[in-house]
Amino acid sequence: MENSAEKMVILADINCDLSPELRAYFGIEEYIQGHVHFSDGREIMSKLDWSNIDRESFYKDLSGTKVKISTSPLSPDEYYVIFEKHIKEGRKVLSMSVSSKVSSTFNSAHTACERIKKDYPDSEIYAFDSYRTSGGFGMLVCQAAEMRKNGKSFKEIIDWLEANKNTVHQMGPIDDLMFVARRGRISTGKAIMGSFAGVKPMGDCNSNGYVTVLTKAKGIKKALDITVKYIKETAKDIENSYIIVTHSGREMYAQTLGQMIEEQLKPKKVFVGDVFCGSGTNIGPGMVCAYYLGDEISEDLVAEKEVMNKIVGK
């Protein structure tokens, strides 16, 4: 969908985890795919649906030891081809990428972007590093699309994104941090502390784009209750805001969390969807998480830790 005043396209990579429902709601018609590699020789292009791979079998493979799964982003050359098409058609291009702290996707996009600027000096193109993953990244994409729909300019959207990317919070439980540790996303020591049977680690994203565990809940019921209370204390203007809930193979819990948020917090709209195979490969099965806008993340999550300690009675 293009702004009537400006022709622009928003191109987010696969790791935004925006469901078909979300993309239709916000008018996001295109996204950047990636490569998914299986140790048994299979290779597919990642999609924001399950049309080319079954969700259950994907997460079963991830949980097992027989098949190893890895991902890789499009190359700068592949990005260039996509960017060039839109530039030639007279569009401004906003490329949005998953956090550069956990993926090389932004580097590919940025390299291609710089080449476009040299080859097409009159073009307007920008590579944005979200410093967020999954639904947190997706939240920023949705905000950009909403601003475009409301007539904001290319520059206004970019300025807002850069100023507000550290206002995106997340909260929710994950079954097993050992999977995340094996992917290099958290230290093994921290993972072991959060991997006792029935204990659900729960964290928010810090200003550097990494998730920090704020508490560990015993059981899913308590974890979801803590999640709603944390959102209530840290969200901003929630009645006029969107909330995105994503899950990696935990649909029932995600739907329950979505209903709890709707009933107790009454936001503008709650979207519940999957973590697809791009992000899912590194997150692993067993995550349920809500993403939303709040105040800017504090240094070392000092303020957020205080909120959580108050909730859990420390």
Side-chain angles (χ1 to χ4, degrees), residues 7-269:
K7 291 178 67 176
M8 71 174 80
V9 62
I10 297 170
L11 296 173
D13 75 65
I14 189 71
N15 297 286
C16 64
D17 285 328
L18 295 181
S19 66
E21 178 196 7
L22 266 164
R23 300 199 308 277
Y25 185 92
F26 288 98
I28 300 166
E29 298 175 350
E30 186 176 349
Y31 59 89
I32 304 294
Q33 293 179 271
H35 302 280
V36 182
H37 313 277
F38 298 82
S39 60
D40 58 10
R42 289 176 291 155
E43 182 175 332
I44 62 172
M45 295 300 292
S46 52
K47 290 187 175 185
L48 292 176
D49 57 42
W50 298 106
S51 60
N52 62 348
I53 188 170
D54 177 76
R55 179 175 70 186
E56 285 69 30
S57 62
F58 172 74
Y59 280 115
K60 183 178 179 180
D61 282 344
L62 272 178
S63 301
T65 58
K66 291 183 178 180
V67 179
K68 294 183 179 180
I69 305 175
S70 61
T71 60
S72 61
L74 297 191
S75 68
D77 287 343
E78 289 174 306
Y79 261 103
Y80 184 93
V81 170
I82 296 170
F83 291 165
E84 185 180 45
K85 170 183 176 293
H86 289 288
I87 293 297
K88 284 184 173 180
E89 292 174 354
R91 296 185 183 91
K92 299 174 183 181
V93 176
L94 172 56
S95 170
M96 300 183 68
S97 299
V98 66
S99 175
S100 61
K101 298 292 184 179
V102 301
S103 170
S104 61
T105 305
F106 173 74
N107 292 334
S108 285
H110 183 263
T111 299
C113 181
E114 294 304 303
R115 283 176 54 192
I116 288 287
K117 290 178 181 178
K118 290 180 181 178
D119 295 346
Y120 298 89
D122 295 330
S123 65
E124 291 193 61
I125 184 169
Y126 189 83
F128 172 71
D129 181 355
S130 71
Y131 269 57
R132 291 297 182 271
T133 60
S134 190
F137 169 26
M139 177 62 73
L140 290 169
V141 179
C142 292
Q143 293 297 317
E146 183 94 329
M147 292 179 73
R148 178 182 62 175
K149 179 181 176 182
N150 292 334
K152 299 298 183 181
S153 70
F154 189 65
K155 184 179 185 304
E156 285 176 316
I157 295 172
I158 292 168
D159 288 347
W160 187 92
L161 289 170
E162 291 293 357
N164 289 277
K165 60 186 175 184
N166 269 331
T167 67
V168 179
H169 291 251
Q170 69 174 70
M171 182 49 59
I174 188 169
D175 287 356
D176 185 5
L177 283 178
M178 289 305 296
F179 184 95
V180 184
R182 290 196 297 270
R183 297 284 173 168
R185 302 299 194 261
I186 192 172
S187 72
T188 301
K190 290 181 179 179
I192 291 172
M193 289 181 65
S195 295
F196 298 107
V199 173
K200 310 287 185 183
M202 305 173 67
D204 202 346
C205 197
N206 66 24
S207 57
N208 291 320
Y210 292 109
V211 176
T212 298
V213 175
L214 299 185
T215 193
K216 294 180 281 290
K218 184 71 172 179
I220 188 65
K221 183 178 180 181
K222 184 175 181 180
L224 297 185
D225 182 59
I226 289 172
T227 299
V228 176
K229 289 178 179 177
Y230 184 84
I231 296 171
K232 182 178 181 179
E233 294 296 324
T234 55
K236 194 172 184 179
D237 191 25
I238 193 165
E239 296 84 1
N240 298 305
S241 300
Y242 300 107
I243 293 183
I244 297 174
V245 176
T246 65
H247 70 94
S248 54
R250 296 295 182 271
E251 184 173 13
M252 182 179 70
Y253 297 145
Q255 293 291 348
T256 298
L257 178 59
Q259 291 172 5
M260 291 171 66
I261 291 170
E262 286 180 341
E263 293 170 1
Q264 298 180 42
L265 306 182
K266 302 185 184 337
K268 184 175 182 179
K269 190 171 178 62

